[in-house]
Amino acid sequence: MFTAAHREMVAVLVGLRKAAGLTQRELADALGREQNLVGRIETGQRRVDLVEWVTICRACGADPEAEITRAVRRIAALLPPKQRRYKT
């Protein structure tokens, strides 16, 4: 769970929140959730699905599609290249 790629995803989410000028509590309020949810996401203890990603981006005033494109590029650079699969 604590891979370089996951840490990068967390960094992207923290960056979105900070760029919006929101505290963890303010983001949680905007999401209608508890502050500890945001804290668990930002410490890497909880992963975010696509629906949550869109909701978080919107709460931060960011375009979810543009941000996921940027995030995928950053994360893909940290992952090994695709392995070719051979038929046996």
Side-chain angles (χ1 to χ4, degrees), residues 37-73:
L37 170 77
V38 177
R40 286 193 315 271
I41 290 168
E42 292 190 4
T43 58
Q45 298 172 30
R46 187 177 183 291
R47 291 185 182 245
V48 174
D49 67 23
L50 187 57
V51 174
E52 291 170 321
W53 173 269
V54 171
T55 305
I56 291 168
C57 285
R58 287 181 175 172
C60 292
D63 174 18
E65 188 175 348
E67 295 302 330
I68 197 68
T69 299
R70 281 197 238 357
V72 166
R73 286 183 183 139

Side-chain angles (χ1 to χ4, degrees), residues 4-42:
H6 184 246
R7 285 190 298 272
E8 187 63 30
M9 182 72 174
V10 169
V12 168
L13 287 165
V14 171
L16 284 172
R17 177 181 61 77
K18 289 183 176 183
L22 298 173
T23 64
Q24 286 186 353
R25 184 166 309 281
E26 290 168 334
L27 177 56
D29 289 344
L31 298 172
R33 303 293 302 267
E34 317 79 36
Q35 180 275 326
N36 66 3
L37 170 77
V38 177
R40 286 193 315 271
I41 290 168
E42 292 190 4

